[in-house]
Amino acid sequence: MPLSRRSFLAGVVAAPVLGGLAGCAGTVVQPGDLSRLRIMAPASPGGGWDTTARVMQRVIQQSGLARNVQVFNVEGAGGVIGLGQLGREDDDALLMMMGLVMVGAVDTNDSSTRLTDVTPIARLIGETELIAAPPDAPFDDIAGFVEVWAADPAATPIAGGSAGGTDQILAGLLAQAAGIDPAQVNYIPYSGGGESLSAMLGGQVTAGISGTADYGPQVASGDLKGLAVSTAERSDQVPDVPTLIESGFDVEVSNWRGVMARPGMTAGAREDLIALVVDTHDSDEWAEALENNGWDDLLLTGDDYAEFLAAEEARVREILVQIGLIQ
Amino acid sequence: MDALTDLAAGFADALTPINLLFAFIGVLLGTAVGVLPGIGPAMTVALLLPVTYVLEPTSAFIMFAGIYYGGMYGGSTTSILLNTPGEASSIMTALEGNKMAKAGRGAAALATAAIGSFVAGTIGTLLLALVAPTVVDLAIGITAADYFALAVFAFVAVATVLGASPLRGLASLGLGLYLGLVGTDVLTGQERFTVGVPQLSDGIDVVVVAVALFAVGEALYVASRLRHGPVQVMDASGPYMTRSDLRRSWAPWLRGTALGFPFGALPAGGAEIPTFLSYASERRLTKHPEEFGKGAIEGVAGPEAANNAAAAGVLVPLLTLGLPTSATAAILLAAFQGYGIQPGPTLLTTESTLVWTLIAALFIGNTMLLVLNLPLAGVWVKLLRIPRPYLYAGILLFASLGCYAVNADPLDLVLLLLLGGLGFVMRRYGWPVAPAIIGLILGPIAETNLRRALAISGGDLSVLVDTWFSRIVLLLSFLALVVPIVLRVVRGRRSTPEELQETGELRHHETAAANREGGEGS
């Protein structure tokens, strides 16, 4: 714990007070309509998108960037229901949380609203993926695992989150890089990191893939073997675990999350939203939230973000076709 | 004992006037959202997450603990009085509870539910404090094949709710299994039976089906019978728990707790299966089998204890591994993170003060719920004195509101109406509705775990009997299936009329309809 409990508590009490003072100081930071912002989390409460949306809500209110921020959930179909709703919105002061999983979900659910139909605002954060194995696995590193895996992919069950999500995408990309047919991968989907973690701890599967937040503590305590992380740089949460690139596999995946806005908004309105997101990103509260949640800072805004989205869409589509999840 | 010292310190932290106020707000909110179908404790805690930056952790967690346990309480009230389960885990409560209410025993049903929840919550929380690390080690060893075996066992056990006609019971079960298939296949991500409606891709919400088949179906049925014969006035003046009620309740409370807690601690256990098993075991063990189906107090006491004990069990993997196994647990985890507390296997050592305060808060919330709910039971039953047309119109309004609140999607209302129409037809022709709900819940659990086990083993069927756990549970299921048949053959056929009368979903005011159906049936 970097903060002592007392000073932390003091911060908790002081932050909103200071935020309130900043608000009273008179200068309205954002143009009028953005003082009331809505953030849609297109998933059920408690998931990654919901958590990120609520952290964003808290940071924006604490740092006085907007007075009233409301988070609401539109559940279903990997976020595609929420995306469809956003496609019909005409409110400029609305952000929808989304991420890599939605890129795949648009294809697997054959959604009529595509990501290109709404307005990209910014990519915000990413979660590093961690590939781990049960403690009694007959290998110690990712190369050893891939050797076992390549020998008999069907007899090498790999646990992860729901079908078509980041974990399965990473499994497919790694198979591809290791010369294994992605269609042969014996991927066992669980509903969320929790359940797959228990399958790992119970030694029921050969390896598992999830966010560092899910497996990291177990790797740190020695209950799981950390094999590799999916990003270009090592993760602070498990600094001893090498990256895939270090280990000789040219795969880089981040479970990134970003925000989108309604279709057909004016350039000015879009700039206002981008400015709000950048201001949020620059606040101390945001830095603290990144630290607390173990998120990587991946800010990318506007057209750069749109380009990144297009590249991810192509890459995800290709691998999902190879795995056999979509036609 | 160390744990007890820590717990005492936790109480010292939690028992301040301001914290008691937060506990009170929590249980009040929790009870309220538990009552409304659709809005659960998960959503409520999520909405309240922003308070984590003005409140100190202790107060916030005390309030959340109150909401969490309160949600489990609230669900039983509407199940018993209005036949409208607020949460999936209070469906079994509706079976006997509502029959009790109709027989004028509503106050006793509410009381046994409240005390049973208190007993189970207290024992569950105590177990959480004392044996959490041991339990979690066992829970993690449970494989997909074991879950499948448990689901099979639950299927066999609940055969008793199939009703007077096994054919109708099985047909209803099949309907539930079919409804459970609607949605995205967990293992391959492909959609099944969604007829191109994106809202169906996550499956049909159990609460929507339960409310439709139970509440809407019943309301329509009652409306259709209003002009037939004299209007029955429900008697709400029945006494609180009598001495005999208490004598019949305590064992089911304890058995329900024993079933609920370990299931809650399982990473994929949930609170529904233990309520099924509790109901089934009470039905077998009772000394008053003739009352089952007419309002047996054991059938309320057991499942209510089971779902509250499961709620405590869910906190085991959360606090010992940082592993959330329910939506509410996931939000509590998010709240921990909001305070900069890293959950995980070390939570109990690094943040022991907070964890013990949370556990103490659960005890406080639980006690407060009893204090709040026991006197209220007498007030709630007065609802039943509302003249029937208004009462059932109110139920319809209330059911629709709750279902709409889940997703704010009009499609849920269409589903509610369609399934409600189905519920009416099933009721009219004497098809029991409980098996449909059970099929809807158990079907996907059985299917997912069977296929997961087979995928892990590469299609080798022997994986299903690979562990001692699955062998024992499957053997028990087999015995439960075969022994009654063997016994019947050995004893010869006797007492058929009583047997037929003993089971049966259709009851009292429907005798006329039931008689007619008898002719149409076989």
Side-chain angles (χ1 to χ4, degrees):
Chain A
M1 284 282 294
L3 286 168
S4 82
R5 195 177 148 91
R6 185 176 295 270
S7 70
F8 170 68
L9 286 182
V12 164
V13 176
V17 175
L18 293 178
L21 285 178
C24 294
T27 49
V28 179
V29 191
Q30 292 297 322
D33 62 334
L34 285 192
S35 66
R36 286 182 176 275
L37 180 74
R38 292 188 300 148
I39 305 176
M40 182 209 296
S44 55
W49 290 340
D50 180 68
T51 310
T52 317
R54 289 181 198 283
V55 166
M56 211 175 153
Q57 168 193 38
R58 186 169 60 194
V59 170
I60 293 178
Q61 284 186 344
Q62 270 181 344
S63 52
L65 292 170
R67 215 160 298 165
N68 189 343
V69 184
Q70 195 198 333
V71 173
F72 63 105
N73 302 77
V74 181
E75 295 177 30
V80 169
I81 309 256
L83 179 64
Q85 192 168 319
L86 184 70
R88 297 188 295 272
E89 276 284 344
D90 56 5
D91 181 4
D92 280 345
L94 169 67
L95 289 172
M96 181 189 71
M97 187 57 61
M98 49 78 69
L100 178 59
V101 178
M102 191 181 280
V103 175
V106 168
D107 277 327
T108 49
N109 290 289
D110 207 11
S111 167
S112 55
T113 310
R114 317 291 298 182
L115 283 172
T116 41
D117 294 335
V118 294
T119 312
I121 300 299
R123 184 182 68 188
L124 281 168
I125 56 133
E127 279 183 346
T128 301
E129 292 272 291
L130 177 57
I131 306 173
D136 53 356
F139 43 79
D140 292 313
D141 55 12
I142 190 79
F145 164 66
V146 166
E147 206 173 302
V148 171
W149 191 18
D152 192 354
T156 312
I158 300 173
S162 37
T166 314
D167 305 338
Q168 191 172 15
I169 291 171
L170 175 58
L173 289 171
L174 180 61
Q176 207 179 27
I180 300 166
D181 177 5
Q184 298 298 315
V185 174
N186 187 4
Y187 182 81
I188 318 287
Y190 286 83
S191 50
E195 265 190 59
S196 84
L197 178 63
S198 73
M200 291 268 284
L201 292 173
Q204 299 163 41
V205 290
T206 314
I209 304 176
S210 191
T212 39
D214 290 326
Y215 289 173
Q218 267 70 27
V219 168
S221 67
D223 293 321
L224 289 180
K225 278 184 191 172
L227 301 179
V229 292
S230 65
T231 39
E233 281 171 36
R234 291 191 179 199
S235 159
D236 292 342
Q237 290 172 323
V238 277
D240 296 334
V241 180
T243 68
L244 282 171
I245 296 176
E246 270 179 66
S247 315
F249 299 96
D250 187 21
V251 177
E252 189 188 339
V253 175
S254 171
N255 187 14
W256 56 268
R257 287 180 206 131
V259 284
M260 308 290 265
R262 76 173 182 97
M265 66 192 328
T266 63
R270 186 186 184 202
E271 284 309 315
D272 288 345
L273 277 177
I274 292 177
L276 175 71
V277 170
V278 171
D279 286 345
T280 307
H281 168 267
D282 293 343
S283 68
D284 296 341
E285 289 87 354
W286 187 250
E288 193 187 314
L290 291 180
E291 171 86 29
N292 284 346
N293 291 284
W295 291 337
D296 308 318
D297 182 4
L298 291 185
L299 184 70
L300 188 70
T301 58
D303 292 342
D304 295 338
Y305 175 48
E307 258 173 55
F308 166 79
L309 264 178
E312 283 289 88
E313 271 189 293
R315 172 164 90 139
V316 167
R317 174 154 249 293
E318 189 202 327
I319 196 67
L320 289 181
V321 168
Q322 286 197 20
I323 292 172
L325 279 182
I326 55 174
Q327 301 293 311
Chain B
M1 257 183 108
D2 264 4
L4 289 181
T5 334
D6 288 336
L7 186 60
F11 269 111
D13 274 354
L15 277 173
T16 65
I18 189 80
N19 283 347
L20 287 177
L21 179 69
F22 280 114
F24 182 73
I25 297 174
V27 296
L28 207 61
L29 270 177
T31 311
V33 300
V35 162
L36 202 59
I39 300 181
M43 180 63 87
T44 315
V45 178
L47 288 174
L48 285 174
L49 268 189
V51 305
T52 54
Y53 66 89
V54 276
L55 284 187
E56 60 165 315
T58 313
S59 307
F61 283 119
I62 284 175
M63 185 163 74
F64 293 163
I67 294 174
Y68 183 58
Y69 274 4
M72 288 287 159
Y73 263 74
S76 62
T77 309
T78 45
S79 277
I80 290 169
L81 296 179
L82 308 179
N83 209 11
T84 309
E87 317 289 331
S89 53
S90 44
I91 288 169
M92 295 316 274
T93 312
L95 289 186
E96 298 301 319
N98 190 245
K99 295 283 166 18
M100 283 182 76
K102 283 183 175 153
R105 307 266 294 118
L110 286 174
T112 195
I115 305 174
S117 298
F118 172 74
V119 170
T122 306
I123 298 177
T125 312
L126 202 63
L127 289 175
L128 171 69
L130 299 179
V131 300
T134 329
V135 171
V136 84
D137 283 345
L138 293 174
I140 274 180
I142 300 292
T143 66
D146 298 334
Y147 281 118
F148 173 69
L150 277 174
V152 169
F153 183 61
F155 267 124
V156 174
V158 296
T160 47
V161 297
L162 286 182
S165 152
L167 188 66
R168 288 177 190 168
L170 286 173
S172 170
L173 185 71
L175 176 79
L177 289 174
Y178 168 70
L179 289 176
L181 287 178
V182 175
T184 306
D185 173 29
V186 177
L187 274 99
T188 59
Q190 306 302 310
E191 290 183 5
R192 303 188 293 199
F193 304 112
T194 55
V195 295
V197 178
Q199 282 88 342
L200 288 180
S201 67
D202 282 353
I204 303 176
D205 198 305
V206 176
V207 172
V208 173
V209 180
V211 169
L213 292 185
F214 278 97
V216 178
E218 166 146 325
L220 295 177
Y221 181 81
V222 169
S224 76
R225 315 292 310 166
L226 271 184
R227 285 163 203 243
H228 298 246
V231 176
Q232 283 195 348
V233 179
M234 272 184 266
D235 177 20
S237 58
Y240 259 45
M241 289 193 72
T242 59
R243 211 169 270 277
S244 113
D245 287 337
L246 197 64
R247 221 174 16 246
R248 289 173 56 180
S249 289
W250 69 267
W253 289 337
L254 297 182
R255 281 193 289 264
T257 309
L259 282 168
F261 184 76
F263 264 93
L266 290 181
E272 291 91 6
I273 297 185
T275 63
F276 298 164
L277 293 180
S278 167
Y279 180 85
S281 61
E282 293 318 325
R283 193 166 182 150
R284 295 231 161 123
L285 294 171
T286 180
K287 293 198 184 79
H288 308 267
E290 75 287 352
E291 282 187 25
F292 266 85
K294 294 177 197 161
I297 196 161
E298 293 92 339
V300 179
E304 267 309 297
N307 74 29
N308 276 269
V314 163
L315 297 174
V316 170
L318 180 73
L319 296 181
T320 49
L321 293 176
L323 198 159
T325 53
S326 75
T328 318
I331 311 248
L332 285 178
L333 195 66
F336 275 119
Q337 282 165 337
Y339 283 116
I341 298 161
Q342 277 306 326
T346 54
L347 185 70
L348 206 57
T349 40
T350 53
E351 289 292 337
S352 73
T353 325
L354 188 62
V355 170
W356 287 108
T357 312
L358 175 65
I359 292 175
L362 290 169
F363 279 113
I364 296 169
N366 209 16
T367 313
M368 208 166 260
L369 277 166
L370 186 70
V371 173
L372 185 75
N373 279 285
L374 214 45
L376 271 183
V379 181
W380 283 119
V381 286
K382 297 215 166 63
L383 267 183
L384 296 181
R385 290 196 184 148
I386 299 172
R388 288 186 126 196
Y390 304 117
L391 177 63
Y392 280 94
I395 292 177
L396 275 183
L397 176 78
F398 182 74
S400 317
L401 199 69
C403 281
Y404 183 68
V406 183
N407 281 321
D409 189 338
L411 186 90
D412 281 338
L413 291 179
V414 177
L415 264 179
L416 183 76
L417 208 62
L418 285 178
L419 290 169
L422 185 68
F424 165 69
V425 174
M426 289 173 77
R427 229 183 146 64
R428 169 69 184 74
Y429 292 103
W431 293 47
V433 293
I437 309 278
I438 288 162
L440 174 66
I441 294 174
L442 283 182
I445 297 177
E447 190 213 345
T448 308
N449 284 297
L450 174 64
R451 288 175 55 204
R452 199 177 271 153
L454 290 176
I456 290 175
S457 76
D460 183 0
L461 280 170
S462 70
V463 69
L464 297 180
V465 288
D466 212 26
T467 65
W468 277 108
F469 187 89
S470 64
R471 278 175 218 165
I472 292 169
V473 174
L474 285 176
L475 184 71
L476 283 176
S477 319
F478 179 74
L479 290 178
L481 202 61
V482 171
V483 168
I485 299 175
V486 172
L487 280 183
R488 200 171 308 164
V489 172
V490 171
R491 284 186 200 157
R493 302 198 120 250
R494 61 177 181 90
S495 69
T496 334
E498 281 107 63
E499 261 181 51
L500 274 181
Q501 216 169 25
E502 177 238 314
T503 43
E505 268 290 298
L506 35 144
R507 277 301 143 218
H508 46 185
H509 59 275
E510 311 158 10
T511 331
N515 285 342
R516 203 167 40 249
E517 284 142 24
E520 296 165 10
S522 48

